[in-house]
């Protein structure tokens, strides 16, 4: 394996020419479950009701807060796949869409979810790149706490290095997510640790589930370090690497081979506690916020249905968007709350890797990472003493841009989807 980083670096020796070029949180929104006793007779059995939505796992039909049609069980087996001309038993009195509306309804969850994932992992990746570079840059005099300075420095990077400077390491972030999901599935398959928590949970089940998450984060930790290096390393001195370089460097980090490292490199055993702590706290905060927001939105939707009749379009929107909004709020809250811990974690992972980052003050120079933290506690004390409390929030303006962009995409998606439904109903 050829080293991509120099054995030594003594300062601002590199100048940019005109060159061209991430809970861990959960990628999928949590499922909602209906437990209303008055809907117990609605348990769906194949074949499904014509025109009904694809059900989430463990959910009853119709979803909570959506009024039931007047004749729900009338002839479901006669026409499981209705055709365009022979509509048969009428319009169903209220709320049963036509064929085009049904097709939109069936693929709405996939399309809306795909737009959300695209925003989180592709469109917002430049924000993740700059956010991480600011977090590990202990030299920086400008903290970029507002989105205005972040936009300015992004423009400078794009002008001097090309657009690839803002999308570097995107492939490795997908690899880390894949490794995380794969490790969680394999561990849960060969151990009694539960991957999901049932409604009748108990403290033991919660503890076993969190233990599964912790083991998953430990397995993905070396690959997370490699992905972090790819996202923060300057494009000025970076070689063209393959998409599997993250896996090679992750394995090399475990067995002690690969690119040159300095003596200041922290062993993986020292990184287990902060990595697991950040991952588990992020998961707990996200799950709690998600459930609370989803409960509030479902109750609000239910009360609106009781107060006045709701159009079929609004009913379909209420079936999908509450989960996306809850997932958005959960990710935002967990990222904001744990941002100082994430700053500490990234500095510990990057130390001793001979990584050279962009100068986030100027936008056209590079800087070496020469920190000498002894561990998590020393890193926290050093940042507080030398950079102040705001030092833990370097690059926070990128988070503001990231979630503003995400909220805008969700709103645009909702407008487009409601327009398509109105035209098809």
């Amino acid at each position: 394996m050829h080293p991509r980083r120099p054995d030594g670096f003594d300062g601002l020796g590199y100048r940019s020419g005109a060159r061209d070029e991430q809970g861990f949180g959960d990628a999928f929104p949590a499922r909602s479950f209906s437990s209303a006793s008055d809907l117990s007779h609605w348990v769906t059995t194949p074949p499904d009701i014509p025109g009904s939505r694809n059900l989430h796992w463990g959910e009853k039909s119709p979803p909570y807060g959506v009024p039931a049609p007047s004749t729900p069980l009338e002839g479901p087996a006669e026409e499981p796949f209705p055709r365009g001309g022979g509509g048969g038993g009428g319009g169903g009195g209220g709320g049963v869409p036509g064929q085009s509306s049904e097709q939109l309804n069936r693929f709405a969850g996939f399309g809306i979810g795909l737009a959300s994932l695209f925003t989180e992992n592709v469109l917002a990746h430049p924000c993740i790149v700059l956010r991480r570079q600011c977090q590990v840059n202990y030299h920086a005099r400008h903290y970029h706490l507002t989105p205005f300075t972040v936009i300015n420095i992004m423009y400078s990077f794009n002008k001097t290095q090309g657009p690839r400077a803002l999308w570097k390491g995107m492939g490795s972030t997908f690899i880390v997510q894949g490794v995380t999901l794969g490790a969680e599935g394999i561990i849960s398959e060969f151990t009694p640790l539960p991957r999901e928590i049932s409604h009748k949970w108990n403290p033991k089940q919660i503890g076993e589930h969190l233990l599964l998450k912790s083991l998953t984060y430990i397995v993905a930790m070396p690959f997370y370090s490699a992905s972090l290096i790819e996202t923060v390393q300057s494009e000025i001195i970076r070689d063209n690497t393959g998409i599997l370089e993250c896996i090679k460097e992750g394995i090399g980090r475990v067995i002690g081979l690969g690119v040159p490292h300095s003596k200041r490199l922290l062993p993986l055993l020292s990184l287990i506690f902060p990595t697991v702590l950040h991952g588990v706290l992020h998961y707990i905060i996200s799950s709690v916020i998600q459930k609370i927001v989803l409960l509030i939105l479902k109750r609000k939707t239910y009360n609106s249905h009781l107060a006045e009749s709701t159009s079929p379009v609004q009913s379909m929107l209420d079936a999908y968007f509450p989960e996306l909004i809850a997932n958005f709020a959960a990710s935002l809250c967990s990222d904001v709350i744990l941002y100082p811990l994430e700053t500490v974690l990234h500095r510990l992972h990057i130390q001793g890797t001979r990584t050279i980052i962009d100068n986030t003050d100027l936008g056209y120079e590079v800087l070496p990472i020469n920190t000498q933290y002894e561990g998590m506690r020393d890193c926290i004390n050093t940042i507080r003493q030398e950079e102040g409390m705001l030092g833990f929030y370097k690059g926070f303006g990128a988070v503001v841009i990231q979630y503003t962009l995400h909220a805008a995409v969700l709103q645009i998606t909702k407008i487009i989807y409601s327009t398509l439904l109105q035209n098809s109903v």
Side-chain angles (χ1 to χ4, degrees):
M1 186 182 302
H2 299 288
R4 297 193 293 119
R5 294 183 288 282
D7 293 331
F9 185 77
D10 56 357
L12 307 179
Y14 292 92
R15 296 276 176 169
S16 66
R19 289 193 50 181
D20 299 326
E21 168 171 280
Q22 257 303 99
F24 296 94
D26 291 334
F28 301 96
R31 300 296 188 188
S32 61
F33 302 96
S34 174
S35 57
S37 59
D38 57 334
L39 298 178
S40 59
H41 63 282
W42 277 95
V43 179
T44 304
T45 56
D48 203 358
I49 301 174
S52 65
R53 281 177 288 275
N54 292 333
L55 302 179
H56 300 312
W57 177 84
E59 192 178 34
K60 297 178 181 179
S61 175
Y64 180 75
V66 179
S70 57
T71 57
L73 300 179
E74 215 169 0
E78 296 179 3
E79 197 179 356
F81 300 102
R83 300 186 180 273
V96 180
Q99 183 177 6
S100 59
S101 177
E102 179 183 353
Q103 292 174 352
L104 284 174
N105 191 25
R106 289 182 181 276
F107 291 101
F110 174 77
I112 297 171
L114 184 62
S116 179
L117 289 177
F118 176 80
T119 305
E120 291 179 10
N121 297 282
V122 179
L123 211 56
H125 190 75
C127 300
I128 297 175
V129 170
L130 188 63
R131 159 184 172 179
R132 292 180 174 182
Q133 283 192 323
C134 293
Q135 285 177 321
V136 302
N137 187 2
Y138 65 97
H139 300 281
R141 292 177 288 107
H142 300 292
Y143 288 6
H144 298 296
L145 301 177
T146 64
F148 307 105
T149 59
V150 170
I151 294 176
N152 184 45
I153 202 66
M154 281 184 176
Y155 173 77
S156 298
F157 287 154
N158 182 75
K159 183 179 179 180
T160 57
Q161 303 179 39
R164 288 181 60 186
L166 298 177
W167 269 272
K168 56 191 175 185
M170 186 173 63
S172 65
T173 59
F174 286 107
I175 290 177
V176 172
Q177 292 181 11
V179 170
T180 303
L181 294 176
E184 182 177 348
I186 293 174
I187 295 174
S188 64
E189 186 71 22
F190 291 95
T191 63
L193 302 178
R195 194 173 185 180
E196 302 288 344
I197 300 178
S198 63
H199 294 290
K200 298 180 180 180
W201 56 269
N202 53 63
K204 179 182 178 181
Q205 190 179 37
I206 293 290
E208 292 177 345
H209 181 66
L210 294 180
L211 177 59
L212 172 64
K213 293 291 183 182
S214 301
L215 295 176
T216 302
Y217 298 144
I218 294 175
V219 172
M221 181 175 60
F223 306 100
Y224 182 78
S225 295
S227 175
L228 175 64
I229 294 173
E230 288 193 18
T231 54
V232 302
Q233 184 164 251
S234 176
E235 194 64 24
I236 297 175
I237 54 95
R238 175 180 174 153
D239 298 328
N240 291 328
T241 58
I243 192 173
L244 299 180
E245 190 69 22
C246 173
I247 297 179
K248 293 180 181 179
E249 290 203 17
I251 296 175
R253 183 75 181 267
V254 174
I255 63 180
L257 299 176
V259 297
H261 298 137
S262 71
K263 295 180 180 180
R264 294 174 284 104
L265 181 71
L266 293 174
L268 289 177
L269 291 177
S270 301
L271 299 176
I272 288 179
F273 176 74
T275 302
V276 172
L277 178 64
H278 176 268
V280 171
L281 287 179
H282 194 283
Y283 176 73
I284 293 175
I285 294 174
S286 298
S287 300
V288 172
I289 297 296
Q290 194 174 52
K291 296 298 182 183
I292 293 175
V293 174
L294 194 60
L295 179 63
I296 294 174
L297 293 177
K298 290 291 186 181
R299 181 166 297 181
K300 181 179 178 181
T301 302
Y302 179 72
N303 292 334
S304 65
H305 286 313
L306 292 179
E308 56 184 9
S309 59
T310 306
S311 64
V313 173
Q314 186 61 41
S315 298
M316 294 177 189
L317 293 176
D318 292 339
Y320 295 105
F321 277 93
E323 289 188 2
L324 292 179
I325 296 174
N327 184 61
F328 169 81
S331 298
L332 173 61
C333 292
S334 56
D335 279 354
V336 171
I337 293 173
L338 297 178
Y339 197 88
L341 179 58
E342 185 183 73
T343 299
V344 174
L345 177 66
H346 287 169
R347 293 199 183 188
L348 295 177
H349 272 276
I350 209 72
Q351 176 173 299
T353 58
R354 300 191 185 276
T355 302
I356 299 173
I357 66 172
D358 295 305
N359 189 333
T360 56
D361 288 335
L362 303 177
Y364 55 83
E365 290 181 344
V366 293
L367 297 167
I369 299 297
N370 294 323
T371 55
Q372 298 183 11
Y373 305 122
E374 297 179 359
M376 181 177 176
R377 179 179 298 180
D378 181 53
C379 182
I380 295 175
N381 293 333
T382 303
I383 294 176
R384 185 173 63 246
Q385 294 173 4
E386 297 183 359
E387 303 170 56
M389 294 303 297
L390 292 179
F392 292 98
Y393 291 91
K394 284 185 174 180
F396 188 78
V399 177
V400 178
I401 297 178
Q402 176 182 346
Y403 284 98
T404 300
L405 186 63
H406 192 182
V409 171
L410 284 180
Q411 186 64 28
I412 293 173
T413 305
K414 183 176 182 179
I415 293 174
I416 295 175
Y417 180 51
S418 60
T419 302
L420 291 176
L421 284 177
Q422 289 174 355
N423 293 335
S424 62
V425 170

